[in-house]
Amino acid sequence: MHNPGNATPDRFPAQDRFADGAQYIAGRLTKGTSGRTHTVVDPATGADALTYELAGPDDVDAAVAAARAAFPGWAGATPGERSDALHRFAAVLADRAEDFARAESLQCGKPLKLTREFDVPGTVDNAAFFAGAARHLQGQSAGEYSGDHTSYVRREPIGVVGSIAPWNYPLQMAAWKILPAIAAGNTIVLKPAEITPLTSLMFAQAATEAGIPDGVINIVSGTGREAGEHLVAHPDVAMTSFTGSTAVGKRVAEVATATVKRLHLELGGKAPFLVFDDADLDAAVHGAVAGALINTGQDCTAATRAYVQRPLYEAFVEKTAALMDTVRVGDPFAPGTDLGPLVSHVQRDRVAAFVDRARSYARVVCGGEAPEGDLKDGAYYRPTLVADAAQDSEVVQSEIFGPVLVVLPFDTDDEGIRLANDTPYGLAASAWSRGVYRANRATREIKAGCVWINDHIPIISEMPHGGYKASGFGKDMSAYSFEEYTQVKHVMFDNTAVAAKDWHRTVFGDR
């Protein structure tokens, strides 16, 4: 399935752009020193896009040293100075928008309309948000809470942050990791997925162009087992932030806790899509198709389990399948493409295996196959709807991470909410109803970090993103992210100037 040879340069000339290497340490590109190489493959064609030298432990050490050296100066900058630098950064990102869109489409297989209208604008907006938020690292206001002392709270940067980002949204996840960390005064070493390093490297280069000091942002492109574990275990890394699967997140937690690091985990999801019988059926159908297929379903908040109240169930299945069949699968760089390939042939085959196993216990209503013809060399898979699976079946309980939606019926509201909560995950969910009390109940009782009403997927920089249960803990984006990336310090001043204080008698002497 893999076609050696170079991806056409008109898609994105990655081999030329990263000829100096795919590590970004102390403000410059360098080659990795692991002794091994990795090839980034265009999943739409199977052609090679970039072959680079992987990072090893020595590269991680160099990146952490660069971040540690840059920390005092960056942490000591005023909030206004960091804010100005981030405003310049947002402007550079906006100016390079088309470059970022093409690079992201090349390495991930995302349609250009998605990268141009979602990934890149969202990243620019995130940079602009944190440019403003950098000026608002505020603690509790001063007050005399004991009567004899004045107390206040400082928020201080933690130090060097070691972050690991996934392959499904390489640009946005780099931004979600880097921006709150550096806005709070930390420095960072980010390890992107080795299969999708391009836009993370470009992001760091743009930061340097904007005047953010060398060493504040560093990128090590290597494997999780080698570069990732060394980064998490590094004694000079004060915090680890990881986005990825729950299984790998457990390993990250094991390694991080050995050195008592601050830990932030954004893990897997299996988002329920709960349709009550008073919902706008057409709106729910459109929302389900969009929510299930965004990024070819490779989204931890994607709609994956549609629970539809019995009176609407058959119509929902029929209409959703019909709408899925209109989705145009094709080359992400071609005009009119709605759905590109999955990120790799390995991921495509993993998704196909889930669906193939489901045929023995459920009904594949549409899709369920890879296209042939002009698309046969790419990692494509058709939009797929699966019905009549049992609640405890694999396709309902496990994260498939592909363009697959499973739909099940329910009878009572109690049952619907119970089924929505019946997985280990709790990252995101949506509920569809015209009734305000019904919808409000769903927002209270569904155990997820985000619950949409009559929509599914939209995110905004001002609001937090993070999960419950096996979906991890901690928040990305929003002012809440500063709680992840700052130390809270209580400062207390004595106001009495009395040497022998009354409370001392509890330790020695009498009143």
Side-chain angles (χ1 to χ4, degrees):
M1 292 183 179
H2 178 220
N3 173 29
N6 292 325
T8 52
D10 60 324
R11 295 168 88 83
F12 183 83
Q15 201 74 51
D16 297 337
R17 291 285 292 270
F18 301 105
D20 292 332
Q23 318 303 323
Y24 196 76
I25 300 172
R28 66 186 185 94
L29 287 170
T30 63
K31 296 182 186 297
T33 63
S34 71
R36 295 179 294 109
T37 61
H38 182 80
T39 298
V40 177
V41 175
D42 176 353
T45 64
D48 293 353
L50 172 71
T51 298
Y52 70 93
E53 296 80 5
L54 285 161
D58 289 347
D59 304 299
V60 173
D61 290 344
V64 172
R68 188 178 181 188
F71 176 71
W74 184 247
T78 67
E81 289 168 339
R82 290 198 295 266
S83 176
D84 288 346
L86 285 165
H87 277 299
R88 295 193 302 270
F89 189 15
V92 173
L93 293 172
D95 189 54
R96 304 282 184 272
E98 182 64 12
D99 256 7
F100 277 103
R102 298 184 75 82
E104 195 79 334
S105 289
L106 176 73
Q107 67 182 354
C108 300
K110 300 169 186 274
L112 269 176
K113 68 176 180 179
L114 180 65
T115 58
R116 284 170 172 164
E117 298 177 32
F118 182 74
D119 296 73
V120 176
T123 300
V124 174
D125 182 73
N126 216 231
F129 171 81
F130 280 108
R135 290 180 177 266
H136 297 284
L137 282 168
Q138 297 163 341
Q140 192 171 3
S141 60
E144 287 68 48
Y145 298 98
S146 77
D148 291 338
H149 306 81
T150 297
S151 289
Y152 66 87
V153 171
R154 291 175 55 89
R155 283 196 175 274
E156 297 179 349
I158 295 170
V160 177
V161 178
S163 290
I164 299 175
W167 48 256
N168 58 332
Y169 287 101
L171 177 59
Q172 291 206 77
M173 293 298 101
W176 287 16
K177 301 294 184 195
I178 291 169
L179 291 169
I182 68 171
N186 302 284
T187 56
I188 190 167
V189 179
L190 175 79
K191 192 202 86 66
E194 66 271 21
I195 64 174
T196 56
L198 305 184
T199 46
S200 298
L201 293 163
M202 293 167 63
F203 192 78
Q205 289 177 305
T208 299
E209 186 176 340
I212 292 175
D214 293 350
V216 171
I217 301 171
N218 306 274
I219 308 294
V220 289
S221 305
T223 65
R225 186 174 298 276
E226 188 171 10
E229 289 220 7
H230 193 68
L231 178 62
V232 174
H234 201 290
D236 291 335
V237 169
M239 173 183 171
T240 292
S241 177
F242 170 79
T243 296
S245 71
T246 298
V248 177
K250 290 177 181 178
R251 175 60 184 162
V252 169
E254 288 176 6
V255 176
T257 52
T259 49
V260 198
K261 288 175 170 47
R262 177 78 67 89
L263 189 58
H264 170 214
L265 299 175
E266 198 263 88
L267 306 176
K270 189 71 177 173
F273 187 98
L274 187 59
V275 182
F276 293 104
D277 57 13
D278 64 343
D280 181 326
L281 179 60
D282 287 338
V285 167
H286 280 80
V289 173
L293 301 185
I294 187 169
N295 201 32
T296 319
Q298 299 165 124
D299 187 310
C300 48
T301 63
T304 59
R305 299 178 290 138
Y307 296 101
V308 183
Q309 207 151 23
R310 191 83 58 180
L312 297 183
Y313 178 72
E314 293 298 339
F316 180 90
V317 171
E318 180 182 346
K319 286 176 174 285
T320 300
L323 187 56
M324 278 188 170
D325 283 339
T326 70
V327 172
R328 298 165 295 184
V329 179
D331 186 331
F333 285 80
T337 291
D338 296 321
L339 194 76
L342 285 99
V343 74
S344 68
H345 289 87
V346 170
Q347 181 63 16
R348 192 274 307 277
D349 294 346
R350 178 181 180 275
V351 170
F354 270 102
V355 176
D356 289 344
R357 289 191 296 270
R359 296 181 196 278
S360 66
Y361 58 79
R363 174 167 56 106
V364 178
V365 182
C366 69
E369 61 184 6
E372 294 293 328
D374 293 343
L375 303 182
K376 65 181 175 58
D377 291 329
Y380 294 94
Y381 198 74
R382 294 195 183 282
T384 300
L385 184 66
V386 177
D388 305 334
Q391 174 65 15
D392 61 356
S393 63
E394 180 187 49
V395 289
V396 176
Q397 293 293 324
S398 299
E399 190 172 30
I400 299 172
F401 230 56
V404 179
L405 176 64
V406 183
V407 58
L408 300 87
F410 70 94
D411 292 303
T412 66
D413 290 16
D414 288 348
E415 181 191 14
I417 291 173
R418 178 181 61 78
L419 292 171
N421 286 328
D422 184 28
T423 70
Y425 301 107
L427 186 57
S430 65
W432 298 73
S433 172
R434 290 184 174 96
V436 63
Y437 297 106
R438 211 175 203 181
N440 203 23
R441 179 191 176 190
T443 66
R444 292 193 310 272
E445 296 186 15
I446 293 176
K447 305 305 180 187
C450 174
V451 180
W452 293 283
I453 298 298
N454 296 326
D455 208 344
H456 195 105
I457 285 295
I459 54 174
I460 50 175
S461 296
E462 292 82 358
M463 290 289 112
H465 178 88
Y468 287 23
K469 303 191 294 186
S471 292
F473 48 82
K475 300 299 179 185
D476 290 311
M477 301 197 297
S478 81
Y480 291 97
S481 63
F482 286 133
E483 296 178 4
E484 313 301 323
Y485 293 99
T486 55
Q487 300 275 21
V488 174
K489 177 185 286 183
H490 171 214
V491 178
M492 196 172 200
F493 281 88
D494 171 59
N495 294 330
T496 67
V498 173
K501 295 179 170 56
D502 187 56
W503 73 267
H504 292 174
R505 66 186 175 81
T506 64
V507 182
F508 62 91
D510 299 317
R511 178 172 291 176

